[in-house]
Each structure stands twice: as structure tokens, then as C-alpha cells.
Amino acid sequence: MTQHFRYIWLALGCLWVAAIFYLSLTPSPPEPLHFNHADKLEHALGYGSLMLWFCQIYQRQAQRITLAVLLIGMGIAVEFLQGMTGYRNFDYADMLANATGVLLSWALAQTPLGRMYSLLETKLNSH
């Protein structure tokens, strides 16, 4: 993995983390899905896609386990922060949805989906 692409990939991932914090702590976040418990799916997709994104950079199993622990910890911390805002709610089910997304993506990263970045980089470097 070239450093140039790696830095871009990391920067985009950090922006994604910032977006999750913003959307989690803003008083009126957008609600793109409208059905019962849609927010749980949004939590799982948000944290799961973030996990899969960073798994593209961190290929070793120990790194991915550390990443999973950090993202699950982030999901827990965000819930506590929401509970302190006065306008958002603390919710154990959201923590579970976040962790579920992370763990499902960790499992998906063991498949070819976990090497998308490497394949893309190889393709870009061959032209």
C-alpha cells in the first residue's frame, strides 16, 4: 500500500468518524429511513461500514481486533455523551446495534471484501 493512498484513505476514515460524532450529537439529525427501529439499522450500518473501511488499511488480525474494540468503545462513549446532552437519549440498544455492525463487518473483512482497497490500489497503480 503506497503511503499517498493510505493517507487519503485514513483522512477519509477520520472524516467519517467525525461525521458519526456530529450526527450522533446534533439535536436534529437527518432520518433517512422511516420504519420502526430504523435507527438501529442506521447505527449498525454506520459503525459497520466504518469498521470495513478501516479494515482495508489494517489487514492484520491483531490490528482489526484492536480496531473493533476501539469502534465498539466509541459507540459506547457516544451513547454516554448523548445522555449528557439533554436533547438526545442514552440507549443500550444503540450500543448493541453499533457493536453488531462492527462485528458483522469484522467477519466480512475476512472475505474478499476485506481486500477491496488493495485491489483498487493495484488497479490504479497498473495504469
Side-chain angles (χ1 to χ4, degrees):
M1 174 183 312
T2 62
Q3 289 299 333
H4 178 72
F5 289 124
R6 180 184 173 96
Y7 290 137
I8 292 170
W9 202 264
L10 280 170
L12 291 172
C14 289
L15 284 173
W16 199 329
V17 169
I20 286 179
F21 269 96
Y22 172 76
L23 292 170
S24 297
L25 298 174
T26 190
S28 300
E31 296 181 33
L33 301 176
H34 300 284
F35 55 87
N36 286 339
H37 307 294
D39 68 310
K40 304 309 178 248
L41 179 60
E42 293 167 351
H43 280 264
L45 288 174
Y47 280 80
S49 56
L50 191 59
M51 176 68 180
L52 194 55
W53 182 270
F54 280 111
C55 280
Q56 303 304 307
I57 301 167
Y58 301 107
Q59 298 280 317
R60 291 187 305 210
Q61 199 64 285
Q63 292 173 317
R64 288 178 172 181
I65 291 169
T66 300
L67 181 59
V69 169
L70 290 172
L71 288 175
I72 290 170
M74 179 180 129
I76 292 168
V78 164
E79 286 305 313
F80 279 98
L81 290 171
Q82 283 180 337
M84 292 188 281
T85 64
Y87 52 83
R88 296 293 297 264
N89 298 326
F90 174 92
D91 188 352
Y92 287 112
D94 286 349
M95 288 181 195
L96 180 60
N98 297 339
T100 299
V102 168
L103 294 174
L104 285 174
S105 288
W106 174 79
L108 283 173
Q110 312 312 308
T111 72
L113 287 175
R115 294 185 305 278
M116 288 185 305
Y117 176 85
S118 297
L119 296 172
L120 176 63
E121 184 182 30
T122 301
K123 200 87 144 149
L124 290 173
N125 286 331
S126 68
H127 291 291

